[in-house]
Amino acid sequence: MATFRKHFVVARDVYSEDSFAEDHEKIYRVRKTTMHHVKEYLICDSKRAKNAALSLLPIIGWMRIYKVREWLLGDVVSGISTGLVAIMQGLAFSLLASLPPSYGLYTAFFPMLTYFFLGTSRHISVGSFPVLSLMVGAVVTRLVPEDGPPANITGFEGLTQDQQRVLVASSVTFLVGIFQLAMGILQVGFIVVYLSDTLVSGFTTAAAIHILVSQLKFVLGLNVPGISGPLSIIYTLEKIFVQITATNICDLVMSIVIMVVVFIVKELNEKYRAKLPVPIPIEVIVTIIACGVSYGFNFEGRFDVDVVGKMVSGYEAPIAPNMEVLQDSAVEAFPVAIVGFAVAFSVAKVYSIKNDYTIDGNQELIAFGVSNIFGASFRSFAASTALSRTAVQESSGGKTQIAGLISAMMAMIVTVALGFLLEPLPRSVLGALVIVNLKGMLMQFREIYYLWRRDKPECVVWVGTCLGATLLGLDLGLAVGLGVELLTVVFRIQFPCCSLLANIPGTDLYRNRKDYLNIIEHKGVKILRMPSPIFFANIEFFKDKLVEAVGFNPLRVLRKRNKALRKLKKMLQDKDDHITEKVLGGLFCKTTDESYMNKEEMDLPLDLKDLPFPIDWDTELPSNISVPKVDLHSLILDFSAVSFLDVSALKGLKTALKELIRVDVDVYIVSCDVYILEKLHSCMFFDNEILTSMFFLTIHDAMLHILEKHNNGKNKNWVLKHTRL
Amino acid sequence: MATFRKHFVVARDVYSEDSFAEDHEKIYRVRKTTMHHVKEYLICDSKRAKNAALSLLPIIGWMRIYKVREWLLGDVVSGISTGLVAIMQGLAFSLLASLPPSYGLYTAFFPMLTYFFLGTSRHISVGSFPVLSLMVGAVVTRLVPEDGPPANITGFEGLTQDQQRVLVASSVTFLVGIFQLAMGILQVGFIVVYLSDTLVSGFTTAAAIHILVSQLKFVLGLNVPGISGPLSIIYTLEKIFVQITATNICDLVMSIVIMVVVFIVKELNEKYRAKLPVPIPIEVIVTIIACGVSYGFNFEGRFDVDVVGKMVSGYEAPIAPNMEVLQDSAVEAFPVAIVGFAVAFSVAKVYSIKNDYTIDGNQELIAFGVSNIFGASFRSFAASTALSRTAVQESSGGKTQIAGLISAMMAMIVTVALGFLLEPLPRSVLGALVIVNLKGMLMQFREIYYLWRRDKPECVVWVGTCLGATLLGLDLGLAVGLGVELLTVVFRIQFPCCSLLANIPGTDLYRNRKDYLNIIEHKGVKILRMPSPIFFANIEFFKDKLVEAVGFNPLRVLRKRNKALRKLKKMLQDKDDHITEKVLGGLFCKTTDESYMNKEEMDLPLDLKDLPFPIDWDTELPSNISVPKVDLHSLILDFSAVSFLDVSALKGLKTALKELIRVDVDVYIVSCDVYILEKLHSCMFFDNEILTSMFFLTIHDAMLHILEKHNNGKNKNWVLKHTRL
């Protein structure tokens, strides 16, 4: 029995699950119960306490391994470059939040102070993020609209519009922090896995569209009130187009020039990345030039250009969040908390993998929660991270959050000392810088084509999220996107491609019978492969496929057989009573009256015990009794891809199998997962009709068992023939 | 080579997917594209037109086979009994809708007239359904509260409160009809599969609680305004308990007596079902008695009992729906449309299976849509079916909707002629009858225990839906339930139990290595089974399991090897340049400076082409170079239960496999579904590192291939030994 190259021989018993269990003893393993897990989780010893303390203050971890000589220079250089970007972005993104620009600088400062101690990522640059700023801005403009009175909130009395807005923004940020902190404490950081790449891509593209539209008014120098709520983007565009003739040409020209210059230089930076020592800080350069030009030519006075204006110099006293605002914005703050964390976490993960350290999602939630609460107390708005800024921090040599701390210091210096230099900066310049940075986000539109070719359901998720978030607003859009995403998962397993299998001759392999010419299907046996889990949404579909596969409706056949059986019994009884054929004929007329039959009895198993002879339904019946012929004696269900069954599926499967068994079709289930088998046992799937002996290890085991049973050795030939030695 | 009983031999080639495809030619099958399906759907010929016409008027189908002699008597008897029930329920359920009782009789009449022609179910009794009535009632009390002014709607001017309420109810019903009709035309009847049995059970239990609470005020004879919106049930209970001392004792006593009597008689009916020719119509009897007693003793005047009062005699002119109400109630009408259809369809399905005919979900939607629009024009409220009434119609001999038509006629007779007889009927009697009929729905609480033992996630769905619908109201609760349900499906496949498999000696079978004592694990080979689909929510989990299974982090090993390689190359180069050992030592100090390394290069495949000798990473390295040992040469992934992969999973899988391949671990994927393999091809999964040759048919094929490859015949013994002949 030599083993040739690439040829093998297996000789073993035909195994049903039962006989396999007999031959191969299973190790009894104690399963941990839920209680056990909870207990384990609550155990407290000194080691765990120490670990918990360390994980709550990740700074201890990286400070202990800090290599001053090697890392400090990089951190300082990186901190300064990141600081410049953070200042620019802080100013620009505060426009998205509909707040005075100085508060953007606050956001670049305060949250970093606490993140420094609590964050597990060593590379992300904590601060404003355009999408979050826009989401906060939506609440701000809803509660304190530009035109018209602010919402009826007690805390607003005696405050200027800007003060009211800052109060709203900081209250929302406070709530965002509370949500994040709570999620961190509850250890539910894993929920971000539901924000799949596709969903995030669609969502951020929609955000980019919102940002683009919101910045148009600055670029065009128009006075458009911020609008929030569903379809706000359309109303905003409408308002812009209505007054398009009032465009400030100075703003427009300056914006276009800046956009073109920045765009080109950025492309060059990208192209010659390898050759340039550091990328050209074009945004800082154009800002400084624009400041100078605007100041020198007095743009504000001469061309009526909207400038940054009076910056708040230094810091203000902490404020408490306004309870009414909290209540009113809870529904909007939750998505902000989720998005802020999701973005920061995904960016942090990229860099943690690149630099080979671990980050902890729940600790990140705690860190951002505390940072936002702390920041909100000092009037900064919701903080997360921006991919672009983090890329600068990492690529310019940042090794730890020391770099982040230095960049925060830069923002502080501008706030307390240099703010006045930025006062002549036109807002259109900031708007133009925001728009030109949207390129990456808007390029995501290419995903549609990519996804459409690869995976239609994901394309639907992308388009659904993007459309939803664009039209309904970012918060509602996120919910819509999540709904669509969950539905697609259900959809994928809901309409499986069931296939009928047949044997590849000479092997123990079974494949779709439609796919191969040379394939053997045994008479009276069907093999149905179910390529997905069975659950409430596809159990009916599965039952239909089952009926289609066997080629007849088992319930209908059962009822016909039961009726025939009743007739037969009647006939026999009548014969016993020596009644003439004629009367018998007459009686038969009566029994065809359907109302006479109890319908429920028709669905019961055939009761053959009163019959003096066995019945073969496919042959010897009196001519006046007709039942449909059934040319199937066995059905094999391949459950190898059934990864779960729910209670509905269990019930439906049981009914379907019983109907088949009652019309004398042997059903075999093969390759069933061990856990599912256990579940079937615990859910009382088995009774006197559905037996454990119907479970076999493989299709081939079941098939051999069937051939053995139905051919009484007649077909031993096949078994021999198909074993090629 | 005799085949013994229950023993078999297979001898065949070791197949990878590639070699199998070579040996067994596949039939090329033309796949229908989406366009093709659409075209096919839009083709129109006379046969299709005829079928479409027939399916739009199902009455033609059953009228043609109507057996007058056999069926008519049953239909008439059934129609009369059902009619009595329909009248009772119509009166009672109109209280749930907060409408005058006569409109319940309208609902028992109008919708049936159109359903008669359009419905595909021959057994359901069309008319009021308590849950729907309650849902309509929630809108009614929201827009026209009992105390306080009605909503600011133009159409309300000059109408009494009852007229306003009828206008609201009929407008909502109109909208429900529009939604159902639209869904029917769009052929989206399949969406009811998402309302799983568990969800419906939890939902109807919550509905029963709402109904119970809403009827308490009638039973106690209190004046409690209807409250709608989240937590309304708690506010209602609060209001009831506040004035519990004002209970009308006459109402309470009468209600308790009726509840006890009806309950007992119903139990007896159930117990002696086989012996009784027809169940005792106890509800009709107590209603008649209560009417008589109330009239005779002048309950209204003497005990201040709230009675049905003036019935609208005859029918009123049709009304148009109010546009403002439509706009205001759209969000609430949609769940009513869904629930109404879902209930009717599920009841209809039970009877269609029992009586062996087919029903068509989309046609049912059209039928109910038209019926509700028609009914709404004549001031009836949302119609569906009630299980109890349908049971009466079927069990008392109803064969077709002729019975339904007759029951509608009964309702008409009461409306036009006998309504005055019902005027002295106390409302508390109706309330008591509603409450006593809740038994079945409330008994569903037992499901909690049943589901908890069988399937925890479904228990969560039940409790979530029930709690949500109880506390937030039925419409919001339904949305919450659906969300929880979809989440559980995702959850079930999100945290699969990955297991490491090993060989059962002497067979080609592989099982969980922890489960068996006598099981063979080959050195250097791991077999990981993934028992669920891989998608965005579990790809990270899967990657973790992969790292856990192989026992090392491949990316980290790759980086270490790349660093070591660089050192080696440097050493070789330096040796070539005849630099002394000492200098070499000095150079090494420099190269340990991490910043010198380009991190991205560390993740690339090992570049061995400049080395003059092959490297065996596990042995012969210079002492100053250390890389982690890897004692794994092959990994087999069992994909038999992976029923789908999405784009995120594809990307993640590709990354993970590449990392393994780059540290010289051969990865094999076995039992992969044909469709998934096709998808991998179309999504460009394969490149110069990930090859199609890694796919094998079974674990055993891959294992034999590995043993062949890695033992160079050394271990032929095993292959021989394990084939027992």
Side-chain angles (χ1 to χ4, degrees), chain A residues 142-415:
Chain A
R142 183 168 67 78
L143 293 182
V144 191
E146 224 132 313
D147 46 357
N152 185 17
I153 286 168
T154 6
F156 281 178
E157 286 150 21
L159 297 181
T160 65
Q161 194 186 52
D162 276 350
Q163 284 172 330
Q164 288 172 349
R165 293 190 153 195
V166 171
L167 179 61
V168 171
S170 77
S171 300
V172 171
T173 304
F174 184 85
L175 198 54
V176 167
I178 295 283
F179 281 135
Q180 289 176 332
L181 188 59
M183 286 192 284
I185 291 167
L186 294 174
Q187 309 261 312
V188 292
F190 71 87
I191 57 163
V192 288
V193 298
Y194 294 117
L195 304 180
S196 69
D197 294 349
T198 309
L199 183 124
V200 170
S201 166
F203 181 76
T204 49
T205 308
I209 297 172
H210 276 284
I211 293 171
L212 180 64
V213 171
S214 76
Q215 296 305 297
L216 273 184
K217 65 173 174 183
F218 295 113
V219 168
L220 298 174
L222 298 176
N223 189 15
V224 179
I227 303 168
S228 55
L231 298 184
S232 63
I233 195 159
I234 292 179
Y235 299 133
T236 308
L237 280 177
E238 191 198 341
K239 293 220 170 187
I240 288 175
F241 283 116
V242 162
Q243 43 174 316
I244 195 104
T245 49
T247 302
N248 185 322
I249 300 298
C250 178
D251 270 329
L252 184 60
V253 170
M254 195 161 47
S255 300
I256 291 176
V257 169
I258 284 174
M259 281 195 264
V260 170
V261 169
V262 172
F263 184 80
I264 291 172
V265 175
K266 283 201 154 198
E267 292 292 304
L268 291 177
N269 272 345
E270 189 62 28
K271 202 168 173 188
Y272 298 107
R273 193 163 50 148
K275 293 180 190 164
L276 291 171
V278 282
I280 305 166
I282 182 66
E283 285 157 319
V284 177
I285 296 171
V286 296
T287 310
I288 293 172
I289 294 175
C291 269
V293 171
S294 169
Y295 180 73
F297 294 94
N298 189 15
F299 274 9
E300 190 181 8
R302 271 165 67 184
F303 303 109
D304 195 24
V305 163
D306 199 10
V307 299
V308 164
K310 189 88 194 86
M311 297 278 285
V312 181
S313 179
Y315 294 106
E316 297 163 80
I319 50 170
N322 181 300
M323 290 318 281
E324 280 175 81
V325 175
L326 291 191
Q327 278 176 17
D328 210 36
S329 61
V331 180
E332 285 147 304
F334 191 70
V336 177
I338 296 281
V339 170
F341 169 61
V343 166
F345 185 70
S346 63
V347 173
K349 203 156 123 199
V350 169
Y351 289 100
S352 79
I353 291 173
K354 192 170 170 194
N355 295 285
D356 200 18
Y357 59 89
T358 53
I359 54 167
D360 174 353
N362 294 316
Q363 176 61 25
E364 284 296 291
L365 267 173
I366 293 175
F368 276 104
V370 171
S371 298
N372 276 325
I373 293 172
F374 177 73
S377 318
F378 288 94
R379 302 168 196 239
S380 74
F381 54 86
S384 170
T385 187
L387 183 54
S388 55
R389 211 166 56 233
T390 304
V392 169
Q393 178 163 336
E394 204 258 359
S395 64
S396 59
K399 293 269 172 271
T400 64
Q401 286 299 353
I402 301 266
L405 202 61
I406 291 170
S407 93
M409 293 305 154
M410 299 268 299
M412 185 187 72
I413 293 169
V414 173
T415 303

Side-chain angles (χ1 to χ4, degrees), chain A residues 482-484 486-487 490 494 535-537, chain B residues 135 183 190-200 202-203 334-336 338-339 342 457 460-469 472-491:
Chain A
L482 270 173
V484 174
L486 293 182
L487 262 179
V490 175
Q494 193 181 348
F535 64 116
F536 64 86
Chain B
M135 289 170 95
M183 285 193 284
F190 71 88
I191 56 163
V192 288
V193 297
Y194 294 117
L195 304 180
S196 68
D197 294 350
T198 308
L199 183 124
V200 169
F203 180 77
F334 190 71
V336 176
I338 296 281
V339 170
V460 172
V461 172
W462 197 98
V463 174
T465 312
C466 184
L467 270 185
L472 300 177
L474 293 178
D475 37 10
L476 265 179
L478 190 66
V480 169
L482 270 173
V484 174
E485 189 184 63
L486 293 182
L487 262 179
T488 54
V489 173
V490 175
F491 229 73

Side-chain angles (χ1 to χ4, degrees), chain B residues 35-140:
Chain B
M35 261 328 278
H36 194 96
H37 281 290
V38 171
K39 265 188 199 157
E40 209 164 60
Y41 184 75
L42 294 176
I43 280 175
C44 183
D45 57 30
S46 63
K47 205 178 144 201
R48 283 186 69 137
K50 194 183 148 197
N51 279 342
L54 273 182
S55 76
L56 276 177
L57 277 178
I59 188 175
I60 301 174
W62 59 262
M63 268 300 184
R64 281 200 301 204
I65 56 160
Y66 198 86
K67 301 175 191 162
V68 177
R69 262 203 317 174
E70 288 168 30
W71 291 0
L72 192 59
L73 183 67
D75 274 345
V76 171
V77 171
S78 155
I80 292 169
S81 2
T82 315
L84 288 174
V85 181
I87 293 162
M88 296 297 312
Q89 292 191 341
L91 293 175
F93 297 162
S94 61
L95 295 186
L96 290 175
S98 305
L99 294 173
S102 48
Y103 294 97
L105 296 181
Y106 286 20
T107 309
F109 177 66
F110 289 108
M112 187 57 223
L113 300 185
T114 42
Y115 188 85
F116 180 71
F117 295 98
L118 297 172
T120 57
S121 170
R122 302 184 201 154
H123 292 88
I124 62 168
S125 165
V126 175
S128 53
F129 174 58
V131 178
L132 285 203
S133 311
L134 194 72
M135 289 170 95
V136 171
V139 188
V140 168

Side-chain angles (χ1 to χ4, degrees), chain A residues 7-13 27 194 355 455 458 494 508 511 515 529 647 673 679 697 723-724, chain B residues 7-13 27 194 455 458 494 508 511 515 529 599 647 673 679 697 723-724:
Chain A
H7 189 78
F8 76 102
V9 178
V10 168
R12 63 167 174 89
D13 288 356
I27 301 169
Y194 294 117
N355 295 285
D455 200 48
E458 292 218 32
Q494 193 181 348
D508 55 344
R511 287 287 177 117
D515 274 348
R529 177 174 155 77
V647 173
D673 192 281
K679 184 166 178 187
L697 291 202
T723 66
R724 171 145 67 93
Chain B
H7 189 76
F8 76 102
V9 177
V10 168
R12 63 167 174 87
D13 288 354
I27 300 171
Y194 294 117
D455 199 47
E458 292 217 35
Q494 193 181 350
D508 54 345
R511 286 288 178 117
D515 274 348
R529 178 174 153 77
K599 272 186 192 119
V647 173
D673 192 282
K679 184 166 178 187
L697 291 200
T723 65
R724 169 147 64 94

Side-chain angles (χ1 to χ4, degrees), chain B residues 545-602:
Chain B
K545 285 283 166 188
L546 209 61
V547 169
E548 204 177 281
V550 298
F552 58 89
N553 184 330
L555 187 61
R556 208 167 287 166
V557 172
L558 178 64
R559 284 174 181 168
K560 290 246 167 85
R561 284 192 183 177
N562 257 323
K563 267 187 210 169
L565 194 63
R566 198 172 281 223
K567 272 193 201 176
L568 270 177
K569 282 185 182 171
K570 191 91 194 159
M571 259 162 83
L572 288 170
Q573 205 189 335
D574 294 345
K575 268 188 190 153
D576 285 354
D577 298 351
H578 304 290
I579 293 170
T580 61
E581 278 293 310
K582 205 176 166 185
V583 180
L584 196 74
L587 272 169
F588 267 56
C589 274
K590 268 190 204 158
T591 52
T592 51
D593 180 2
E594 278 179 33
S595 65
Y596 152 85
M597 307 266 191
N598 183 335
K599 272 186 192 119
E600 275 148 32
E601 276 175 28
M602 293 292 104

Side-chain angles (χ1 to χ4, degrees), chain B residues 327-401:
Chain B
Q327 279 177 17
D328 211 36
S329 61
V331 181
E332 284 147 307
F334 190 71
V336 176
I338 296 281
V339 170
F341 169 62
V343 167
F345 184 70
S346 64
V347 173
K349 201 153 126 202
V350 169
Y351 288 100
S352 80
I353 291 173
K354 192 171 170 193
N355 295 285
D356 200 17
Y357 59 89
T358 52
I359 55 168
D360 173 355
N362 294 315
Q363 176 61 24
E364 284 296 291
L365 267 173
I366 293 175
F368 275 104
V370 171
S371 299
N372 276 326
I373 293 173
F374 177 74
S377 317
F378 288 95
R379 301 168 197 241
S380 75
F381 54 84
S384 169
T385 186
L387 183 54
S388 56
R389 211 166 58 233
T390 304
V392 169
Q393 178 164 333
E394 204 260 358
S395 64
S396 60
K399 291 270 174 270
T400 65
Q401 285 300 354

